[in-house]
Amino acid sequence: MGARPEAGPVVAGDGTMSGPVVISTWETGLKANTGAWEVLSKNGSALDAVEAGVMVTESTINCCVGLGANPDRDGIVTLDASIMDHQWNCGSVGALERIKHPISVARRVMEKTPHVLLVGQGAQQFAVSEGFPLEPQVLSDDAKKAYEQWLKSHEYKPVINIENSKSGSGNHDTIGMIAMDATGNLSGSVTTSGMGFKMRGRLGDSPVIGAGLFVDNEVGAATSTGQGEDVIRMCGSHTVVEYMRQGMSPEEACKAAVERVARIKKEKAKDIQVAFIAINKKGETGGYALQKGFSYAIKNNSEERMVAVKSYF
């Protein structure tokens, strides 16, 4: 994709951003940000932008996010997604099968139901009732190869930074996106295939508001990536936003949240990856990771690049 990571948060000289900004996890975020920018550059809402942006990733047919992703241990692809706007509205879906754009279903849950989270067959039934077509339940070529290889050992072992793997052969993939529009409003989205070869019915942090995603329009927004179980344990994205409420910068808040994960996991922290990215109301951005190798993509009026974040280890 050509963009080279550069260290540090992106901040204008006066500590604020001029105009809209969008950031998202991993190198796949470059293309996703381009989709979001189609909305933001025309003074569209952050909510529309974060939906449009991750839909780009959901449409990719490989072992990453979407129907081309690695399946669960029963050979079935299940998808999770969440979305949240600047007015505390939120929606999510979990263990959704045969729907190409779970992020759009999550938005319909937010806008058309009294609920926040729909899962499994109920989520699929709702999607179909809203006009989403059922796609064929067929593994992509890459996912089929990865699944056949996994069947030889039936071993589950998380692979650190697999979201950034060029082969796409690892066992968890997520894209999280947060944006500020020209009016200063914030929104966020997350979409994922979850951990490849996971137990049937497993949900990670992505569809859990406050864990994988949280937006407080008075303070900022945050999203996460990595081993979802350990983000859920400490309400990760909500924790990042609360640290920003206390006056921390986005990078400082993400660092404090990662340090909390490390304290909880103790010696096992070296075996996993957890990372956060955040935007505050000034338009400042930042991130921090447990392990080296994590970066996020940023796009605004003046630049489009990858940002390499600092890490605990």
Side-chain angles (χ1 to χ4, degrees):
M1 294 185 182
R4 301 180 66 182
E6 301 177 25
V10 180
V11 187
D14 62 355
T16 62
M17 296 301 303
S18 57
V21 56
V22 57
I23 62 174
S24 54
T25 56
W26 304 106
E27 192 174 354
T28 52
L30 288 170
K31 287 185 177 180
N33 284 357
T34 298
W37 197 252
E38 287 292 316
V39 177
L40 293 173
S41 63
K42 298 173 183 176
N43 293 324
S45 72
L47 178 63
D48 289 341
V50 297
E51 178 186 14
V54 299
M55 285 177 70
V56 173
T57 314
E58 290 177 338
S59 296
T60 304
I61 304 301
N62 54 35
C63 281
C64 295
V65 172
L67 290 174
N70 287 328
D72 63 21
R73 60 183 56 191
D74 290 344
I76 299 171
V77 176
T78 62
L79 306 176
D80 311 325
S82 64
I83 194 165
M84 189 170 184
D85 72 7
H86 65 290
Q87 296 179 312
W88 303 98
N89 299 308
C90 48
S92 58
V93 291
L96 180 62
E97 299 175 19
R98 299 179 59 188
I99 300 295
K100 185 175 182 179
H101 291 298
I103 193 63
S104 297
V105 183
R107 182 168 178 175
R108 299 286 182 89
V109 172
M110 178 181 76
E111 294 178 337
K112 293 195 172 186
T113 80
H115 308 304
V116 170
L117 174 60
L118 295 180
V119 300
Q121 291 183 349
Q124 186 188 79
Q125 181 181 2
F126 171 72
V128 171
S129 73
E130 286 294 308
F132 292 88
L134 286 177
E135 305 291 337
Q137 190 165 279
V138 180
L139 294 181
S140 67
D141 291 342
D142 287 344
K144 184 177 180 181
K145 291 177 183 177
Y147 182 55
E148 289 173 348
Q149 184 65 34
W150 177 82
L151 285 173
K152 295 178 181 180
S153 64
H154 285 77
E155 179 183 14
Y156 177 74
K157 184 178 181 181
V159 181
I160 292 172
N161 292 341
I162 196 61
E163 286 92 344
N164 217 31
S165 168
K166 299 298 182 182
S167 68
S169 60
N171 56 2
H172 59 105
D173 291 277
T174 304
I175 182 167
M177 174 180 285
I178 45 181
M180 175 182 286
D181 60 32
T183 67
N185 286 326
L186 297 162
S187 290
S189 63
V190 187
T191 187
T192 184
S193 58
M195 293 182 173
F197 326 124
K198 61 197 173 189
M199 292 181 66
R200 186 120 175 95
R202 178 263 184 188
L203 294 178
D205 62 314
S206 295
V208 181
I209 299 297
L213 174 68
F214 194 69
V215 178
D216 183 331
N217 207 49
E218 295 180 352
V219 179
T223 187
S224 63
T225 188
Q227 184 148 297
E229 282 79 0
D230 294 303
V231 177
I232 292 173
R233 292 182 212 283
M234 41 81 71
C235 300
S237 293
H238 178 270
T239 296
V240 171
V241 172
E242 289 305 300
Y243 281 135
M244 289 194 291
R245 190 189 307 278
Q246 296 171 18
M248 291 186 182
S249 70
E251 181 179 310
E252 290 169 341
C254 292
K255 179 182 179 182
V258 166
E259 289 172 342
R260 185 178 293 189
V261 173
R263 288 196 299 271
I264 293 169
K265 295 297 290 184
K266 298 183 174 65
E267 68 277 0
K268 294 181 179 179
K270 294 182 179 181
D271 299 326
I272 65 168
Q273 174 68 302
V274 168
F276 298 99
I277 60 173
I279 298 177
N280 67 14
K281 281 297 285 185
K282 294 180 181 179
E284 298 170 328
T285 71
Y288 203 85
L290 195 56
Q291 310 287 345
K292 294 180 180 179
F294 172 66
S295 58
Y296 68 88
I298 182 169
K299 187 170 179 63
N300 56 39
N301 282 323
S302 61
E303 61 186 343
E304 177 180 11
R305 65 183 176 101
M306 295 299 300
V307 180
V309 309
K310 298 175 183 178
S311 63
Y312 183 84
F313 290 111

